[in-house]
Amino acid sequence: MSEQAQKNSGADQSRRLLRRRFSYRLVRLATQWRREIDLDLRQFDLTDATWRPLYYLRVLPAPVRQTDLARAMLVEAQSLVRLLDVLERRGLIHRDTDPDDRRSKLVTLTDAGVAMGETVLGVADGVAARFLEGVSDDALKECEAVFDQVWSGRGHDRASVEGSSTACRQLSPESDT
């Protein structure tokens, strides 16, 4: 093997290891972040499965089509139906038939759901403050730029990206009102 080929092989190996470490850390961090939110929300009788729809329903413009909510949450529509049944029985959401498409359901938060959604957002903000303590705004912006580049590139299910991208835009600073 030529010297140049060995350098290229070494660079390729380094790149693979760097990407592997990045991926591993990203997955671990996301898992731990959600676990912390989950632990903090247990006192409100919410689990990861039940607080996530409330979170998304609170940040997305109402009403939200059930299929769009599933897409934003990166879950199967059938799985979401069961979660929404639970939230509806608890009086946190209401589902109506979409007047533009009678096959679709529109999901809105009830007054109690809005209040619980605000609690979820507050807890999520608290976890973010704990996790990001000491991280500069410039570092966060740089990390966001990497996430945006990765998200808009390859390696994800394009069918789920449309709704997720909308959710990401809803969470951007420009959309906070």
Side-chain angles (χ1 to χ4, degrees), residues 4 27 39 48 51 55 58 69 73-74 84-85 99-100 103-105 116 121 145 150 154 157 166 168 172 174-175:
Q4 184 62 37
V27 169
L39 289 171
D48 182 66
W51 67 257
Y55 180 93
R58 194 64 193 107
L69 180 59
M73 293 177 57
L74 299 174
L84 294 178
D85 288 343
D100 297 330
R103 298 168 297 166
S104 295
K105 295 288 186 185
M116 189 60 75
L121 290 178
V150 170
R154 304 157 217 49
D157 176 9
T166 301
C168 288
S172 68
E174 298 81 34
S175 69

Side-chain angles (χ1 to χ4, degrees), residues 124-165:
D125 288 347
V127 169
R130 290 195 313 259
F131 273 60
L132 298 172
E133 186 176 344
V135 177
S136 73
D137 289 349
D138 287 340
L140 287 175
K141 288 175 186 174
E142 189 174 332
C143 190
E144 272 189 325
V146 170
F147 288 164
D148 290 345
Q149 184 178 357
V150 170
W151 192 258
S152 65
R154 304 157 217 49
H156 48 265
D157 176 9
R158 301 223 185 259
S160 64
V161 170
E162 186 179 318
S164 301
S165 296

Side-chain angles (χ1 to χ4, degrees), residues 18-120:
L18 177 63
R19 289 175 176 170
R20 187 177 297 155
R21 283 194 316 268
F22 178 85
S23 300
Y24 173 79
R25 289 176 177 173
L26 180 62
V27 169
R28 295 269 306 172
L29 178 60
T31 300
Q32 187 59 39
W33 201 299
R34 279 177 55 177
R35 184 175 291 141
E36 289 293 316
I37 294 171
D38 192 45
L39 289 171
D40 289 358
L41 286 170
R42 283 186 183 173
Q43 65 183 311
F44 302 101
D45 197 28
L46 294 173
T47 64
D48 182 66
T50 54
W51 67 257
R52 288 186 64 231
L54 295 173
Y55 180 93
Y56 280 93
L57 287 167
R58 194 64 193 107
V59 298
L60 294 171
V64 179
R65 267 202 185 105
Q66 203 165 285
T67 54
D68 293 337
L69 180 59
R71 205 173 288 123
M73 293 177 57
L74 299 174
V75 299
E76 294 292 324
Q78 298 87 339
S79 300
L80 181 61
V81 169
R82 290 188 297 274
L83 298 175
L84 294 178
D85 288 343
V86 170
L87 294 173
E88 194 166 38
R89 280 193 301 272
R90 291 180 61 181
L92 298 174
I93 66 154
H94 183 71
R95 289 181 279 191
D96 292 303
T97 301
D98 184 344
D100 297 330
D101 181 355
R102 300 204 43 84
R103 298 168 297 166
S104 295
K105 295 288 186 185
L106 296 174
V107 184
T108 55
L109 292 168
T110 63
D111 290 342
V114 169
M116 189 60 75
E118 285 299 314
T119 298
V120 169

